[in-house]
Amino acid sequence: MPAKERIAIFPGSFDPYTKGHEDIVMRGLQIFDKIVIGIGYNSAKRNRYFDVDLMVSKIRELHKGDSRISVETYNELTAMFAKKHRADYILRGLRNTTDFEYENSIAQVNMHLAEPLETIFLITSPKYAHISSTIIREVHQYGGDISKLIPYKLEV
Ligand code: ADP
């Protein structure tokens, strides 16, 4: 029998998708056969800075050469999104203890919502540890240059 495909979802707000996120995906592909990048988005709340459709198209364009990567939006429990994609794994990145505190409780909840559902953490690459979507939004809001922090060109 062929080995079961290892499918992971990489959930997040990706507002915007950064070089740090790209790095987690590329390293994740050394572990998983497929990664579904899931942009959690509540259409009723509309509480994003960067347009979700723009972000989907930028991420798809960026990874279009690699059929192991797909990009979807979702508006449901992350655990349910994972099951829909037959994913037994959630991929997340860890930068610091703040990330850890937050991730620790979510990972435990997700494990109970859908079993088997393991969260696999990759420690940030030092060269990307300083990159966060929050900082990018702030820099962009005040007209700063974010081009070195994101892995695609943004015209907005
Ligand atoms: P969320 O809104 O769920 O925190 P984000 O879009 O901010 O989602 O991040 C998605 C995932 O990527 C999280 O696991 C986060 O810790 C991780 N991440 C964000 N920036 C980096 C980075 N620079 N290096 C490694 N992981 C990162």
Side-chain angles (χ1 to χ4, degrees):
M1 215 170 73
K4 193 179 171 201
E5 235 185 356
R6 284 175 178 257
I7 305 172
I9 57 157
F10 181 38
S13 318
F14 305 116
D15 188 18
Y17 189 78
T18 71
K19 284 191 178 173
H21 295 135
E22 180 192 33
D23 180 61
I24 295 293
V25 170
M26 299 326 287
R27 289 164 55 207
L29 284 172
Q30 293 172 359
I31 305 171
F32 303 110
D33 300 311
K34 279 189 182 158
I35 296 179
V36 182
I37 300 171
I39 308 183
Y41 174 60
N42 186 334
S43 52
K45 279 197 188 157
R46 293 173 162 272
N47 52 356
R48 289 182 63 91
Y49 181 80
F50 291 101
D51 183 71
V52 73
D53 295 326
L54 171 74
M55 202 44 58
V56 168
S57 71
K58 289 291 176 188
I59 307 172
R60 282 200 179 134
E61 171 75 17
L62 175 72
H63 293 301
K64 69 171 181 233
D66 197 330
S67 59
R68 296 172 298 173
I69 305 169
S70 57
V71 187
E72 307 286 341
T73 59
Y74 70 98
N75 183 9
E76 64 191 315
L77 284 173
T78 300
M80 300 308 132
F81 177 70
K83 287 296 119 189
K84 232 180 236 176
H85 288 275
R86 295 182 300 111
D88 287 340
Y89 305 94
I90 297 178
L91 173 64
R92 296 282 287 178
L94 281 182
R95 282 164 297 189
N96 46 43
T97 52
T98 313
D99 276 355
F100 174 77
E101 296 290 343
Y102 179 66
E103 298 293 339
N104 188 21
S105 40
I106 307 185
Q108 300 200 24
V109 169
N110 281 330
M111 210 169 358
H112 287 287
L113 289 175
E115 273 179 85
L117 188 56
E118 291 290 352
T119 305
I120 308 293
F121 297 101
L122 293 183
I123 297 291
T124 184
S125 300
K127 62 180 170 185
Y128 299 127
H130 64 288
I131 299 181
S132 80
S133 298
T134 310
I135 287 174
I136 293 180
R137 289 196 297 274
E138 273 175 26
V139 172
H140 186 268
Q141 200 170 2
Y142 292 104
D145 178 14
I146 59 167
S147 62
K148 290 197 171 62
L149 307 172
I150 55 174
Y152 46 83
K153 285 208 163 45
L154 208 56
E155 295 84 23
V156 290

